[in-house]
Amino acid sequence: MSPLDGYTAMPSRQRGAIGLMAALTMGLALLCTLTVIDSGRLYLEKRSLQRVADIAALEAAGRRGKCSGTAATAPDFANQSATRNGFTPNTDGRTLVTRCGTLTVDVAGPRVFVADSTQALAIQVVAAHPVPRSIAAGIGALFEKTPSPPNVTISATAVAASAAPLAALT
């Protein structure tokens, strides 16, 4: 054993190591907590926005809204539904875009919305609004050369198809 090994192993040289490890662990725990809270907040905002878009698309398709001509009712139905569900379009940067079209079905793939204002077989609703960026992204923006905007825009898209009624009274 070297004489230097005995010098570094003395108890007086080991003081403060536990305090340093505790401080680093607490910092890491705080960073993980901030990440979990921020991602949870953004997830809940996205789910809320998706709920509004889904309900607006279902209502506009269920009420057989149209997008062309003088009686363009699909955007009105979607806006009314979104307002009833706590999402007021054209306020605080919130947008609600409604488009009519059709759904194409591929044999091997999913259904795809094709915009066509003369068709109203399917209605697509895109809801978007800005939310404050996460704390972690805000800290990262402090070190960027060009400043980033304080908000990030999240959006949700929903498509609903109106089907022919299964039965009718005559």
Side-chain angles (χ1 to χ4, degrees):
M1 179 152 106
S2 153
L4 290 178
D5 288 340
Y7 176 73
T8 58
M10 292 178 7
S12 63
R13 297 285 297 164
Q14 296 296 320
R15 286 197 180 130
I18 300 261
L20 179 62
M21 290 301 291
L24 290 174
T25 303
M26 290 298 287
L28 184 62
L30 180 64
L31 181 66
C32 289
T33 302
L34 285 175
T35 303
V36 167
I37 290 172
D38 274 344
S39 60
R41 177 184 59 86
L42 291 174
Y43 174 78
L44 289 176
E45 286 283 342
K46 174 74 173 177
R47 283 303 317 143
S48 175
L49 192 61
Q50 187 66 52
R51 179 186 52 82
V52 167
D54 289 344
I55 293 172
L58 284 171
E59 184 169 339
R63 292 175 68 182
R64 306 238 185 248
K66 305 284 184 213
C67 289
S68 63
T70 58
T73 57
D76 294 334
F77 294 153
N79 285 339
Q80 291 167 5
S81 174
T83 302
R84 276 195 311 275
N85 287 294
F87 183 87
T88 308
N90 303 322
T91 60
D92 300 329
R94 297 171 184 240
T95 59
L96 190 74
V97 178
T98 305
R99 297 188 304 175
C100 293
T102 59
L103 288 175
T104 60
V105 180
D106 293 334
V107 175
R111 293 179 285 184
V112 177
F113 177 78
V114 178
D116 183 2
S117 62
T118 62
Q119 298 282 330
L121 299 175
I123 295 176
Q124 180 186 52
V125 174
V126 179
H129 75 92
V131 295
R133 70 177 7 193
S134 65
I135 295 172
I139 292 171
L142 293 174
F143 301 105
E144 293 178 356
K145 292 182 180 179
T146 59
S148 298
N151 293 332
V152 62
T153 301
I154 59 172
S155 66
T157 303
V159 176
S162 58
L166 297 175
L169 296 174
T170 60

